[in-house]
Amino acid sequence: MTRQQQKKGSDEVNKLERIAEQAQALGCRCLREEPMSRHTTFKIGGPADLLVMAETQKQLSALLRLCRESEVPVSILGNGSNLLVSDRGIRGVVITLGGEFSKITLEGETGICCGAGVPLASVCSFAREHSLTGLEFAWGIPGSAGGAAYMNAGAYGGEMKDVLCSCDHMTSDGELSSFSGDELELSYRHSAYSDSKEVILFLHLKLQKGSQAEISAKMEELMRRRKEKQPYDMPSAGSVFKRPVGYFAGGLIEQCGLKGCSVGGAQVSPKHAGFIVNTGGATCQDVQQLIEKIQQTVLRETGVQLECEVRACGE
C-alpha cells in the first residue's frame, strides 16, 4: 500500500469516527464493523464500516447532511430481504430506520400511514385488525414497508401500486418532500425511488372496508401456498430473477435441469427453482457464481436473458 493510499484510508476512518461521535450525540445507536450477514435474510454479507440506527426525522436529517458534507457514502437498510451484500461488506454509513419510522396509524376510515421501517407483515396484520382489504397479497413478503414501496413489491396478482397513494421522503440534503400518484412511477419491481437518493420515510395506503373473516381466510390461504411452494424455512433473498415476458423464471431454470444445482453453500432451491438458498456458510461469491451459471445456461438453452431482481450491494 502506498503512503497516499494509507493517508486516504486514515482520512476515511477519521471521517467515520467523527460521524459516529456526532450520531451518538444525536442519540443514535452506532455499530462499527457490523457484519451484514446479521441484517439480511440471505444471512450473507461482510461488515458495514458504520451501522447507525435513526429513530427520528431530526436524527436522519442530521445524519444525511453529515455524510454528504463529509463525502461519505450512505446506504439505507430495510429488512435486508432483497439484498446480496458483498463478502467485503459495505463502505461508508448504513442507516436503519426505527422509532417513529416503525409506527402504523389509521388515516380516515380506509387509509393507513406506516413508517418505512415497519415490517410489511405488520402492516398486513394492522389492516386485518381494522377490517381493511386490499393488502392480503403482501402477507408473507419478508420485507419492510419502505422496501416494498422502493421496488413495488408484489405477489399473487397484487402489487404495492394497487394500494400506495403517496410516500413522504427525505432528500440527501435532509429536506422533506413527497411523491404521489404518477410521481411514484410504479411499474414492475420499480419506483421513482429505485433511481434516486431520496429516503422513504412514510407510506400512505388506501384500502377498502372488508370482512375480517374473509381477509384472514385469504391471508391464511396465501401463506399456505407460499410455504407449500417456496423454501420459506431457509435463508434466501426471495425470487432471484424478474419475470421474463411470457415466461416464469423458475420454470425456465427447472426446464434447464438446474433445480438443486449448487456452488459452495448456495443452491437453486429443490422446492422452487426461482429461489437460491443459503444451505449453510454461503458467500456472496457463491451466489454470484450460481446466478451467472443460471443466466448463461438459460440463455444458451432457451434464448431468454434472465434479469436479477435481487439487488447487489457493497464493495
Side-chain angles (χ1 to χ4, degrees):
M1 183 182 291
T2 66
R3 185 173 298 177
Q4 187 176 3
Q5 287 173 322
Q6 289 177 330
K7 182 179 185 301
K8 183 179 179 183
S10 177
D11 288 344
E12 293 303 316
V13 169
N14 290 336
K15 286 179 183 179
L16 287 166
E17 283 301 319
R18 287 195 295 272
I19 290 172
E21 288 173 7
Q22 292 180 66
Q24 287 169 328
L26 288 165
C28 300
R29 184 180 174 216
C30 298
L31 297 172
R32 294 168 176 81
E33 297 296 320
E34 175 69 5
M36 293 303 292
S37 57
R38 297 176 182 172
H39 301 274
T40 63
T41 57
F42 233 150
K43 306 301 181 189
I44 290 172
D49 286 342
L50 181 65
L51 182 71
V52 183
M53 292 77 157
E55 297 194 336
T56 68
Q57 293 180 57
K58 182 179 178 181
Q59 288 175 343
L60 181 61
S61 178
L63 279 171
L64 292 175
R65 286 199 302 271
L66 278 170
C67 292
R68 182 176 58 80
E69 290 163 4
S70 302
E71 298 182 333
V72 170
V74 175
S75 304
I76 305 298
L77 178 68
N79 200 43
S81 61
N82 196 48
L83 286 182
L84 177 59
V85 177
S86 164
D87 297 320
R88 296 180 66 181
I90 302 177
R91 304 289 68 82
V93 176
V94 176
I95 299 175
T96 64
L97 302 180
E100 67 183 61
F101 307 113
S102 298
K103 295 180 179 179
I104 314 173
T105 58
L106 283 173
E107 288 189 323
E109 292 189 357
T110 59
I112 289 177
C113 174
C114 62
V118 178
L120 192 55
S122 297
V123 187
C124 294
S125 295
F126 184 89
R128 176 176 55 190
E129 288 167 15
H130 292 86
S131 301
L132 296 175
T133 184
L135 199 58
E136 292 90 336
F137 73 87
W139 182 238
I141 294 178
S144 64
Y150 179 92
M151 66 172 293
N152 187 28
Y156 298 111
E159 56 184 352
M160 292 301 291
K161 183 179 180 180
D162 302 331
V163 297
L164 183 61
C165 296
S166 65
C167 286
D168 302 326
H169 62 252
M170 189 173 285
T171 69
S172 59
D173 295 326
E175 301 298 324
L176 295 174
S177 189
S178 66
F179 288 148
S180 62
D182 292 342
E183 290 176 323
L184 290 166
E185 298 178 14
L186 299 170
S187 59
Y188 180 66
R189 302 299 177 265
H190 178 272
S191 76
Y193 297 105
S194 303
D195 306 313
S196 76
K197 292 185 178 181
E198 285 90 2
V199 180
I200 300 172
L201 306 180
F202 300 100
L203 287 68
H204 300 274
L205 310 177
K206 190 68 173 179
L207 304 175
Q208 299 86 40
K209 279 291 184 182
S211 160
Q212 192 173 88
E214 290 177 5
I215 293 167
S216 291
K218 186 171 183 180
M219 288 168 67
E220 288 168 11
E221 169 60 16
L222 292 181
M223 182 60 76
R224 183 192 66 76
R225 288 165 64 182
R226 280 183 185 277
K227 290 183 175 180
E228 185 179 277
K229 297 180 180 180
Q230 300 176 6
Y232 213 72
D233 57 341
M234 297 191 73
S236 80
S239 298
V240 176
F241 301 102
K242 294 180 180 180
R243 186 176 64 244
V245 177
Y247 300 93
F248 289 100
L252 291 172
I253 296 166
E254 185 170 358
Q255 175 187 323
C256 293
L258 293 170
K259 208 171 190 181
C261 178
S262 296
V263 173
Q267 180 187 43
V268 177
S269 169
K271 198 170 187 179
H272 190 309
F275 288 68
I276 290 176
V277 295
N278 181 355
T279 61
T283 64
C284 176
Q285 187 176 16
D286 290 341
V287 176
Q288 287 174 328
Q289 289 180 357
L290 185 53
I291 286 173
E292 288 173 11
K293 181 175 182 178
I294 292 167
Q295 288 174 319
Q296 291 169 3
T297 304
V298 170
L299 181 61
R300 183 178 65 248
E301 297 191 13
T302 71
V304 178
Q305 178 67 59
L306 294 180
E307 182 183 352
C308 265
E309 180 174 314
V310 175
R311 191 162 58 94
C313 185
E315 195 171 45

